[in-house]
Amino acid sequence: MNPKQKKLLTRIIVALVLFVAIEVATQTGILRAAFGTPGDVYAEFALFLIPYLIAGYDVIADALRGLAHGHALDEDFLMTVATFGAFALVLFPDTEPHMAEGAAVMLFFQVGELFQSYAVDKSRQSIADMMDIAPEFANVMEEGKLKQIDPFELAPDDEFIVMPGERIPLDGTVLTGESQIDTAALTGESVPRTAHPGDEVISGCVNLTGKLVVRATKPFEDSTVSRILELVENAAEKKAHTENFITRFARVYTPIVVGVAAVLAVVPPLLFGGQWSDWVLRGLTFLVVSCPCALVISVPLSFFGGIGGASRLGILVKGSNYLEALGSTETVVFDKTGTLTDGTFSVTELVCAPGVSKAELADIAAAAETFSTHPIAQSVRAYRGAAVAAERVRDVREVSGQGVEAVVDGREVLVGNGKLMAAHHIAFTAVEAPGTVLYVAADGTYLGAIAIADTVKPGAVRAIADLRAAGVKKTVMLTGDRAPVAQAVAATLGIDEVHAELLPQDKVAEVEALLAQTERDTHGKGKLAFVGDGINDAPVLTRADIGIAMGAMGSDAAIEAADIVLMNDNPADIARAIHLARRTMGIVWQNIVFALGIKFAVLVLAAFGIANMWMAVFADVGVAVIAILNAMRAMNVKRYLD
């Protein structure tokens, strides 16, 4: 608890002890014996006023301030009027005193306020924890000494040092050193990652074991940690439709019930000869019940808890409106490269001609590709393993759109597509395989083929299955890759629909068509989410109902355009986010139905004089506490952790 909450708790305990002592004295006749009749009533009034003021003096002060500034119709005002009225009933000699109920209403209202404050702090904590990822300094070498400077002072290409136990201040590339990196604060992953020279590291992570020298790739204001903090700080500003509805509802509902309470207290005695004390008590009970704090607090708290829980999973939601929309997702559209696949090429198959071994085929192809920087050439060299001796290769010539020609160990070697083979009149056997196929020949003889493809992410198959389990009706993949490659990836993953060989503008057109189809199929209730990571995905992320970006390795443009960011680049997190969103929305509507149902039932009972002040306390404070407890369930994400 914070100091303010501890102070309120102390006041509540003191007021409760006094309240119980006075109530015991009243019920056992001690006051009547000491003060006689009707002196005991006035003594009871004075005594109950003490715990009432101890517990609620700040509520009364806030109500008066609100009245002075023209904002009277809030819960503080309703509680003050209702409890003042309960004490004022002592002016009616023919009615039973209600000072105990008045003091109890204020006391339990403050219990509800304390509980609410604690719950809000608890829900904020998971998001506030994200603020701790901000690095306080960066280490740089100046005149042979290590100096700590503000991360804002570093620019791209500047070098800095990260010692064990320190946070990485800027995004960068490791130059020297090797260490375990704790990324849990950003990605939710509990297992540290190993950083080697040449690896990219992101700001906000903790260096665990070894000293690292890093070259900055971005200024601090554009770093991962800065983007995350900005998203977290702005998340509360974008409210869900349900939140806005509750706010508007409270603005209309509260004046209406205050008016009804006033009519209930005044009209029957004036027009129909009713007993003033009876109808005033009904009006006061009506006021206590009508307080909308259960809704006004529990609904935003549910969304805040959902956003905080998602952040613990490494899923950053930019606002509760996006969480609400995600809960209605019926169609999920994916980019392929970097989203469902790793975005890196690797050798998937070697098909050798008779008499040629796989080792020989890989060696000759890797040698011919020794000096190429193309990703396909790099994948061939990586498959071979050890580097090829440069003196084995000479006269390398790249043929645009076909491949490479080189002399390897004195042999004329060709590595490329079918066009290169045909241009040299070499008979070869066409190979049908997903991805790119390189044909290899030496001295006019066909040696075999090497299939190279972008590999599917380990969690992608599970991600699609989890989406179906989460209630997603349709999955679609959009890609600029060739149709056979796209179809092979879709078949592996079990994706429902594929559109290949698309330009960025074509992707937007396809999403437009899918949006229209989703709206028709769901009668406007279902939403479409697009998942991507590249610069060319930004227009589609913006156009979709919900844009989801791969955050750790995704482009800045994609993350800026997206509504939700997956910090650990795991497509399986999409289903987790949808489950979490739907669970949060379920909690929101449980609270709305429960709170309104109980309140309207007790309001009717109060109007007919059946409900007393104690029932009113339950309908207000009791319902609020139950709703807040229910809302706090949105923060529990243990079930989604692997």
Side-chain angles (χ1 to χ4, degrees):
M1 284 189 177
N2 60 42
K4 185 177 179 181
Q5 291 167 352
K6 290 179 180 178
K7 184 178 179 182
L8 178 57
L9 178 61
T10 302
R11 286 166 47 204
I12 289 172
I13 293 173
V14 171
L16 182 60
V17 170
L18 290 174
F19 176 87
V20 171
I22 297 165
E23 182 67 10
V24 169
T26 302
Q27 297 299 325
T28 56
I30 294 175
L31 289 184
R32 181 165 296 177
F35 297 97
T37 305
D40 62 328
V41 174
Y42 300 111
E44 186 180 343
F45 177 92
L47 289 173
F48 273 120
L49 199 59
I50 297 171
Y52 171 79
L53 292 174
I54 291 173
Y57 71 84
D58 54 339
V59 176
I60 299 168
D62 288 342
L64 294 174
R65 275 194 294 268
L67 192 62
H69 291 89
H71 304 294
L73 298 181
D74 59 10
E75 58 264 30
D76 291 331
F77 175 79
L78 295 179
M79 284 299 118
T80 300
V81 171
T83 52
F84 271 16
F87 274 86
L89 287 173
V90 75
L91 300 174
F92 297 93
D94 58 339
T95 186
E96 289 188 19
H98 291 278
M99 288 78 75
E101 287 95 325
V105 167
M106 183 61 75
L107 183 60
F108 288 114
F109 176 71
Q110 287 289 58
V111 170
E113 289 292 295
L114 176 63
F115 201 88
Q116 166 200 320
S117 175
Y118 177 77
V120 170
D121 279 1
K122 188 80 172 173
S123 68
R124 284 182 183 273
Q125 190 58 49
S126 54
I127 291 181
D129 288 344
M130 296 292 292
M131 307 306 286
D132 293 336
I133 67 177
E136 297 178 357
F137 60 87
N139 297 317
V140 296
M141 292 296 294
E142 288 188 4
E143 300 178 355
K145 295 182 180 180
L146 203 62
K147 180 182 178 182
Q148 292 183 350
I149 65 170
D150 193 310
F152 277 100
E153 296 180 29
L154 288 173
D157 295 327
D158 285 348
E159 295 181 13
F160 57 90
I161 297 168
V162 188
M163 304 300 288
E166 294 179 351
R167 289 196 181 274
I168 300 171
L170 279 81
D171 296 356
T173 304
V174 177
L175 297 178
T176 61
E178 184 174 313
S179 180
Q180 295 287 307
I181 304 295
D182 180 3
T183 65
L186 275 72
T187 68
E189 286 185 309
S190 57
V191 180
R193 299 178 182 179
T194 303
H196 304 89
D199 289 347
E200 299 289 330
V201 291
I202 55 178
S203 54
C205 298
V206 178
N207 179 25
L208 295 177
T209 54
K211 173 183 172 182
L212 295 176
V213 179
V214 183
R215 177 184 289 122
T217 55
K218 298 175 183 176
F220 181 78
E221 56 267 25
D222 294 333
S223 65
T224 300
V225 69
S226 291
R227 294 203 310 267
I228 290 173
L229 295 178
E230 184 179 357
L231 295 181
V232 170
E233 288 167 355
N234 295 333
E237 297 177 5
K238 299 174 181 176
K239 293 188 176 182
H241 295 304
T242 310
E243 262 185 293
N244 288 324
F245 166 75
I246 291 299
T247 302
R248 293 193 302 269
F249 174 81
R251 287 174 184 166
V252 175
Y253 161 87
T254 306
I256 290 175
V257 294
V258 169
V260 172
V263 170
L264 196 63
V266 174
V267 171
L270 283 179
L271 299 184
F272 306 108
Q275 190 174 3
W276 276 98
S277 59
D278 180 37
W279 287 100
V280 168
L281 182 60
R282 294 189 193 190
L284 295 175
T285 305
F286 201 89
L287 273 184
V288 174
V289 178
S290 66
C291 183
C293 55
L295 289 175
V296 173
I297 295 302
S298 67
V299 170
L301 183 62
S302 300
F303 281 112
F304 209 72
I307 292 173
S311 72
R312 291 171 58 194
L313 298 174
I315 302 167
L316 299 185
V317 183
K318 293 186 180 181
S320 55
N321 53 335
Y322 304 123
L323 194 69
E324 182 180 46
L326 190 64
S328 303
T329 299
E330 300 264 337
T331 303
V332 178
V333 183
F334 294 92
D335 171 52
K336 180 180 77 68
T337 306
T339 302
L340 295 173
T341 63
D342 285 325
T344 56
F345 291 99
S346 60
V347 173
T348 57
E349 186 180 4
L350 277 79
V351 181
C352 300
V356 180
S357 69
K358 289 185 177 181
E360 181 185 357
L361 181 64
D363 177 69
I364 291 175
E369 298 279 16
T370 295
F371 302 109
S372 175
T373 58
H374 195 282
I376 289 177
Q378 293 172 356
S379 67
V380 174
R381 295 199 299 270
Y383 180 82
R384 182 186 183 277
V388 176
E391 58 268 18
R392 292 179 56 193
V393 186
R394 60 183 176 84
D395 299 337
V396 178
R397 186 172 71 90
E398 292 197 17
V399 182
S400 179
Q402 296 185 13
V404 65
E405 301 174 359
V407 176
V408 179
D409 299 330
R411 303 171 70 186
E412 295 283 347
V413 175
L414 305 174
V415 181
N417 56 25
K419 293 179 181 179
L420 184 65
M421 298 294 109
H424 288 266
H425 308 291
I426 295 173
F428 68 98
T429 303
V431 174
E432 292 294 331
T436 300
V437 177
L438 296 179
Y439 298 101
V440 183
D443 291 335
T445 302
Y446 175 65
L447 301 181
I450 302 174
I452 299 167
D454 187 7
T455 54
V456 170
K457 284 186 176 182
V461 175
R462 174 188 168 186
I464 303 302
D466 287 351
L467 283 174
R468 290 198 173 87
V472 172
K473 303 292 177 56
K474 185 177 184 180
T475 54
V476 183
M477 186 173 75
L478 306 181
T479 179
D481 212 338
R482 296 184 303 113
V485 176
Q487 292 289 350
V489 172
T492 301
L493 298 177
I495 287 178
D496 300 320
E497 189 176 314
V498 182
H499 300 275
E501 301 180 22
L502 301 175
L503 297 173
Q505 60 267 32
D506 299 328
K507 289 185 180 181
V508 175
E510 290 291 347
V511 166
E512 294 275 5
L514 289 166
L515 281 166
Q517 182 181 341
T518 301
E519 186 170 357
R520 288 194 304 270
D521 293 346
T522 64
H523 305 289
K525 296 179 180 179
K527 302 296 182 182
L528 179 144
F530 178 83
V531 190
D533 75 318
I535 293 175
N536 62 344
D537 294 326
V540 200
L541 288 165
T542 303
R543 181 62 192 92
D545 291 322
I546 311 106
I548 303 174
M550 297 293 181
M553 299 303 293
S555 73
D556 291 347
I559 294 171
E560 186 69 26
D563 308 313
I564 296 171
V565 181
L566 308 181
M567 290 309 300
N568 60 5
D569 285 345
N570 184 0
D573 282 346
I574 303 165
R576 288 192 183 100
I578 291 175
H579 273 298
L580 186 66
R582 290 183 174 166
R583 181 165 166 263
T584 300
M585 290 308 301
I587 291 171
V588 166
W589 283 106
Q590 288 166 16
N591 284 340
I592 290 173
V593 172
F594 172 72
L596 288 180
I598 296 294
K599 280 187 177 293
F600 281 127
V602 180
L603 283 173
V604 172
L605 294 177
F608 285 97
I610 300 173
N612 57 24
M613 274 283 188
W614 295 108
M615 290 180 66
V617 168
F618 169 75
D620 177 47
V621 179
V623 168
V625 169
I626 293 171
I628 289 169
L629 278 172
N630 193 42
M632 290 178 71
R633 293 195 302 119
M635 291 182 283
N636 184 6
V637 294
K638 290 182 180 178
R639 69 177 70 181
Y640 306 112
L641 295 170
D642 291 329

